[in-house]
Amino acid sequence: MKRLGLFLAGAALALGPVLVLAQDAPESLLPPGFDKPKPKAAPKPAASATPKAAEASGPTSVSSPVVQALPSGAAQAAAPVKLPANLPSLAALEAMTPEQLDDLFGLHSRSDIPAGARRAVTRVGVLAEWEGGLPSGSLAGQNASLVGAMLAGNDGRLVSRWGHILLRRVLASRLDAPAGMNPADFAGLRAALLVRMGEGDAARALVQDVDAANYTPVLTQAALDAYAQTADVTGACPMVNLQGGVRKDPDWRVLQAICRAFSGDATNALIQLDRLQGAGVWPKIDMLLAQKYAGSAGKAARAVTIEWDGVNTLTPWRYALTVATGIEPPARLIQDPPLRYSLAAAIAPMVSLQDRAAGADRAGAAGVLSSAAMVDLYGEIYALDDISGEWSQRAEALRNAYVAAAPSDRLAAMKQLWDGAADPAARYSRLLLTAYAAARLPVEGKFAGDSGDLVAAMLAAGLDRNALRWAPQAEVGGLAWAQLALAAPQRSGAVTSGQLDDFYGNDGSAGKLRTRLLLAGLAGLGRVDSGAAAGMAGKLEVDLARQTRWTRAIDAAAAVNNQALVALLAGAGMQGDAWDKMTTVHLYHIVSALDRVGLSAEARMIAAEAVARG
């Protein structure tokens, strides 16, 4: 993928050619001794020769053949094949599918992995502690029911981009299961939550860290959902082939047929799909997509016409098979799709760049995409001449935001992108898109009016040091000042009552939401005078001391310094579609607990994001 070099002049890494020097003469590739005539066999020693006599005569030029003995020390007779007690007739056997035959004769091996290569179900995950993951024993001593409830009960829609990033890091870490919970189920619950968050790639990597022979029904379903989210249909085949007829649901039966096609039996696979279509296992459109996908596996390909008449919704497997076969769903189905399909499109390499950019407008704010990934995406759009219209214009605007000669022109290009967003989430994604362009803008008084958005853009990408350069231009009581008061790694003095009153007076958000979130963040970080906090809480009619079962749980987790448990509880408390769903009390306890367990950077970014998006 083309990098930011499409926008900025960069230094290229020159790789010098590797010179291969010819030898003076050809060199034999045979092992020593193989290029000489075979020596004549030495005469056999007399039968009466003793071992000592043979040893004294010196080594001979011929070595005796060595045959590796079996581990048991002797050859073992093959075990007799046990036939089923009630063997069906020949006609019945001929009518059976391969899966039914495997089930009948018990041919499904639980594992084809050598014993020495099998992986333990401990420390399952993809992010080690030294890579930024959490300690493996973080949840091992916790209540299994509580951990399971937090994983299964989270719908995956978090109001905070930084909260999403933190929760993803916890779920992807190499963790041991809580005592009393099946490790495969623990992996399955984590993967299922990642899928609901739109993190299909992370979920797929997580389920693939467990050998298929150790799958449980919970992990199997999570794996199916992960493969559907990433449109990796054949990725499910090792699991499907190994488990055979363990499931009889429609999705499983169709996948069995598809996997048979990619195992080299495309003809019978298409026959089975025809039978399933006749039985009405899947809707017609889905069966046609399955036949088109399976037909690409071998010489049995057939012409399949996909007709979308009467199709009004997308389903996970319908979307997966559509994009996996190189088909674009009808515009009416993806014009305003559910969030999961936008997030899937944003990172799907087989989807058109325009559709990926449309998905990025939601994936950036959600936390799925980074600023660098979004710039890469627009860089590809800019480089292609066959893309025109609004996306080409936005790519051009992004380029100007980085390389326009005058700083005022760069800011104008940024504002063009921000103001062209369709909704608040898309606007925040555009702020993220321009984060590094904002960091390059000089700090000048004439830009102070836009400092709130500039600071929000930089903090969306975690560029807190760059954002702090605007502190001298940030007017007390303004949006930039409030974000910097929260985002600064350290603050020299506490926020005063007068400063809070200034922000309150400038706050035009509904119900003074931004002031409520600012108070919660400052109190959680311990950066506000106690008297000022009490006074503003009274004005806003907020009781920061109010306790619930959730507040007591997250405070208790912070008291024992358990980062993973605090993060899971924080994720449960940040569920929602927008920041107006976040209460002052919840944000206060989230920021406070994260700060106390050493996740202060996440606490600061979440608090600053709350004010920016409130």
Side-chain angles (χ1 to χ4, degrees):
M1 187 175 289
K2 297 179 178 63
R3 301 294 300 176
L4 190 57
L6 296 169
F7 297 72
L8 304 174
L13 178 62
L15 296 178
V18 179
L19 301 180
V20 179
L21 301 178
Q23 299 177 16
D24 294 335
E27 181 182 2
S28 173
L29 300 180
L30 295 174
F34 276 61
D35 54 351
K36 296 179 180 178
K38 183 177 180 181
K40 296 181 180 180
K44 295 183 180 180
S48 60
T50 62
K52 287 185 178 181
E55 183 179 352
S57 64
T60 65
S61 60
V62 178
S63 60
S64 301
V66 177
V67 178
Q68 177 64 51
L70 294 174
S72 62
Q76 300 293 326
V81 177
K82 295 182 179 180
L83 296 177
N86 299 318
L87 188 66
S89 65
L90 182 60
L93 289 173
E94 290 178 345
M96 287 185 175
T97 66
E99 287 77 14
Q100 291 172 329
L101 289 171
D102 289 345
D103 291 340
L104 177 65
F105 290 102
L107 299 179
H108 284 297
S109 170
R110 288 304 298 162
S111 178
D112 57 356
I113 303 175
R118 295 174 190 172
R119 295 172 294 181
V121 289
T122 57
R123 300 187 179 184
V124 173
V126 294
L127 196 61
E129 185 175 356
W130 61 270
E131 297 173 307
L134 274 67
S136 59
S138 297
L139 298 174
Q142 301 305 313
N143 183 283
S145 298
L146 173 63
V147 174
M150 286 189 293
L151 294 173
N154 194 320
D155 64 9
R157 298 285 300 276
L158 274 61
V159 298
S160 170
R161 161 181 165 77
W162 282 104
H164 175 109
I165 293 171
L166 172 61
L167 184 57
R168 177 182 61 203
R169 181 156 66 96
V170 174
L171 297 175
S173 295
R174 295 190 180 277
L175 298 175
D176 289 327
M181 179 183 290
N182 186 303
D185 286 346
F186 181 51
L189 290 172
R190 290 154 59 195
L193 178 51
L194 284 167
V195 170
R196 295 193 296 272
M197 293 169 62
E199 297 287 352
D201 285 348
R204 179 177 58 181
L206 181 60
V207 301
Q208 289 177 342
D209 197 46
V210 180
D211 291 343
N214 295 323
Y215 274 34
T216 61
V218 172
L219 182 54
T220 297
Q221 185 58 54
L224 288 176
D225 293 339
Y227 290 120
Q229 177 76 3
T230 55
D232 184 7
V233 184
T234 52
C237 288
M239 170 186 67
V240 171
N241 291 336
L242 181 64
Q243 296 191 29
V246 68
R247 290 173 49 150
K248 306 295 183 183
D249 56 277
D251 292 355
W252 191 264
R253 293 168 66 188
V254 173
L255 284 173
Q256 282 184 304
I258 292 176
C259 292
R260 180 183 306 163
F262 283 87
S263 298
D265 191 9
T267 301
N268 285 327
L270 291 174
I271 293 174
Q272 185 179 358
L273 287 173
D274 288 338
R275 292 174 180 170
L276 294 174
Q277 183 176 8
V281 171
W282 261 10
K284 180 180 178 181
I285 181 65
D286 298 333
M287 290 305 308
L288 291 174
L289 289 167
Q291 290 171 351
K292 186 175 182 66
Y293 186 86
S296 66
K299 297 180 180 179
R302 63 173 67 166
V304 179
T305 302
I306 306 299
E307 298 179 353
W308 293 93
D309 295 341
V311 180
N312 300 315
T313 59
L314 288 173
T315 63
W317 282 113
R318 182 174 300 166
Y319 181 79
L321 287 167
T322 299
V323 299
T325 51
I327 302 174
E328 289 193 11
R332 58 185 172 81
L333 295 183
I334 60 173
Q335 190 168 6
D336 188 21
L339 181 61
R340 69 164 291 150
Y341 300 113
S342 294
L343 301 183
I347 58 177
M350 69 287 288
V351 175
S352 69
L353 291 175
Q354 298 95 315
D355 289 343
R356 289 181 61 190
D361 263 355
R362 305 178 76 178
V368 173
L369 286 183
S370 66
S371 178
M374 295 182 70
V375 170
D376 282 346
L377 176 58
Y378 276 87
E380 287 203 65
I381 293 174
Y382 178 79
L384 296 178
D385 296 333
D386 58 346
I387 297 181
S388 58
E390 57 178 342
W391 295 114
S392 177
Q393 295 169 6
R394 289 169 189 167
E396 178 70 28
L398 182 60
R399 181 181 185 276
N400 292 334
Y402 279 95
V403 303
S408 57
D409 292 338
R410 300 207 296 269
L411 178 59
M414 285 185 250
K415 294 174 70 173
Q416 177 185 341
L417 289 168
W418 302 341
D419 298 338
D423 52 56
R427 190 176 193 277
Y428 191 71
S429 293
R430 303 283 180 85
L431 289 172
L432 175 68
L433 175 65
T434 57
Y436 289 89
R440 297 181 67 245
L441 200 68
V443 178
E444 297 181 7
K446 62 181 179 180
F447 302 140
D450 295 298
S451 60
D453 283 333
L454 291 169
V455 169
M458 288 180 273
L459 294 180
L463 305 177
D464 54 349
R465 293 184 179 180
N466 299 84
L468 285 169
R469 295 188 304 118
W470 286 86
Q473 298 293 336
E475 181 182 356
V476 174
L479 181 58
W481 167 85
Q483 294 178 79
L484 294 176
L486 295 165
Q490 295 182 355
R491 185 173 173 82
S492 57
V495 173
T496 65
S497 178
Q499 292 171 326
L500 277 179
D501 287 337
D502 288 343
F503 188 83
Y504 179 90
N506 295 328
D507 186 5
S509 62
K512 300 293 183 181
L513 176 61
R514 274 181 166 160
T515 305
R516 294 172 183 271
L517 299 177
L518 173 62
L519 174 63
L522 291 172
L525 294 170
R527 297 184 176 185
V528 61
D529 179 78
S530 58
M536 183 56 66
K539 185 182 293 188
L540 296 171
E541 298 181 351
V542 170
D543 181 13
L544 293 178
R546 183 169 64 89
Q547 290 289 325
T548 65
R549 291 180 61 186
W550 175 85
T551 62
R552 286 190 287 270
I554 196 169
D555 288 344
V560 296
N561 197 35
N562 192 311
Q563 291 183 342
L565 195 57
V566 166
L568 289 179
L569 287 163
M574 285 189 282
Q575 296 177 80
D577 297 327
W579 276 97
D580 59 0
K581 305 296 191 299
M582 173 62 68
T583 70
T584 311
V585 172
H586 275 68
L587 183 61
Y588 162 68
H589 283 278
I590 288 170
V591 172
S592 174
L594 291 174
D595 188 53
R596 289 160 58 193
V597 298
L599 297 172
S600 58
E602 290 82 355
R604 292 185 289 109
M605 293 300 105
I606 289 172
E609 179 192 351
V611 173
R613 301 180 68 179

